[in-house]
Amino acid sequence: MGYIFKHQMTGPMADTSTKTLSDDNAGQSANHYDEFFGPLYFEPYAIEVAKRIDPAGVAVVLEIAAGTGRVTRHIRERISPKARLIASDISEEMLAVAKKKLGNLDIDWQNIDAQQLPFSDNSIDLVICCFGYMFVPDKPTAFSEVFRVLRPGGHFIFTSWDKLENNPASYTSRRIAKQYLEEPLPASYDLPTSMSDERRIRSLLQDTGFSKLSVEKVKLLSVSPSAKEAALGFVQGGSVYDEVRKRKPGSIEEIKTRLEKELADQFGDAPMIAPISALISQAWK
């Protein structure tokens, strides 16, 4: 999850940019990411990923793009108490939030780039990455690094978001925001859904050397206490709204009202329950 932070942390299918955040703003953004986008989008898939872990024979686990520790907690609970869990992220700000939340658990926290894993060949039993590879510039290298460090028979699990239109709450948020922007959004805003093609994922894995693999589309539900809270979360956390603030700052309150109404009309007012869709990919060395 946390790899997204280097591109301006936001919600899963929402928006990304490459602006640099101050330390204070980075910390605030990481906390918002965890408090809003965490339960709305990432927690449902954290549970699904944990179900796919076979703890038997797993001695060392590496999590890439651990973010604020949403998946990390479930991994730690699923694997043996004796197993070593290395939770890594490229963002120190994300890891700071995770360490604060999970400081009582036996976890080895490391600041790591997915394209350069600092581990020996054939040394890891299980590698997990939830919603991180969409933002990794060199995906073939990153996948090759996973293949290198996995032991023979090792297991690789990662998730990526489905198309934006298959995640309708985020689609609605983006659609409304774009109505207030005269210029097209940069291509970087499409990064969160850039790995929604099952054939491309299979090709990447096969080219890396994996022969046994599966790619499944998993549809779940995201729940917010209310459409109002969801609208506020999108507007505060989605970087597309930073673009709106720059160009039309007086329109933010109007957007909140419009977005709340549309979300309530489509998915209910309190609670707001919206469908979400992602791909869960697995491969074995």
Side-chain angles (χ1 to χ4, degrees), residues 11 32 36-37 173 227-238 241 259:
H32 178 79
F36 173 68
F37 291 112
S173 175
K228 183 175 183 177
E229 287 188 39
L232 180 63
F234 279 122
V235 172
Q236 288 183 342
Y241 289 103
L259 182 54

Side-chain angles (χ1 to χ4, degrees), residues 40 53 62 81 192 228 265:
L40 188 68
I53 297 172
L62 169 64
K228 183 175 183 177
D265 288 346

Side-chain angles (χ1 to χ4, degrees), residues 104-272:
N104 62 318
L105 300 180
D106 183 13
I107 300 169
D108 180 3
W109 302 99
Q110 294 191 31
N111 183 230
I112 290 174
D113 185 336
Q115 299 162 125
Q116 286 184 301
L117 300 180
F119 305 107
S120 302
D121 297 0
N122 308 312
S123 61
I124 308 289
D125 299 295
L126 170 64
V127 176
I128 295 175
C129 178
C130 287
F131 304 111
Y133 282 116
M134 303 93 70
F135 308 97
V136 176
D138 190 343
K139 294 172 182 57
T141 293
F143 277 29
S144 292
E145 279 291 274
V146 170
F147 190 83
R148 178 183 65 79
V149 302
L150 275 176
R151 65 166 177 79
H155 190 189
F156 179 29
I157 310 173
F158 70 94
T159 62
S160 55
W161 290 111
D162 196 2
K163 296 175 182 178
L164 185 63
E165 55 266 33
N166 293 334
N167 291 278
S170 286
Y171 180 82
T172 298
S173 175
R174 170 80 70 91
R175 175 174 54 79
I176 290 177
K178 287 174 69 175
Q179 293 172 9
Y180 293 82
L181 299 172
E182 296 175 359
E183 299 176 5
L185 290 168
S188 61
Y189 282 75
D190 293 324
L191 282 175
T193 56
S194 62
M195 290 188 72
S196 59
D197 187 334
E198 295 181 40
R199 288 176 299 179
R200 183 189 174 208
I201 292 172
R202 287 182 179 276
S203 178
L204 277 168
L205 290 169
Q206 289 168 346
D207 290 348
T208 300
F210 291 104
S211 56
K212 182 183 177 182
L213 55 93
S214 71
V215 181
E216 55 182 322
K217 186 176 293 187
V218 179
K219 297 181 179 181
L220 300 173
L221 294 174
S222 62
V223 181
S224 174
S226 69
K228 183 175 183 177
E229 287 188 39
L232 180 63
F234 279 122
V235 172
Q236 288 183 342
S239 57
V240 67
Y241 289 103
D242 291 336
E243 296 291 334
V244 175
R245 288 185 187 90
K246 291 177 190 175
R247 305 177 197 182
K248 295 185 178 179
S251 63
I252 291 296
E253 290 305 315
E254 177 185 327
I255 290 176
K256 284 181 187 176
T257 302
R258 282 190 60 193
L259 182 54
E260 178 187 348
K261 183 178 185 306
E262 288 214 28
L263 292 175
D265 288 346
Q266 291 184 60
F267 313 114
D269 184 19
M272 186 204 82

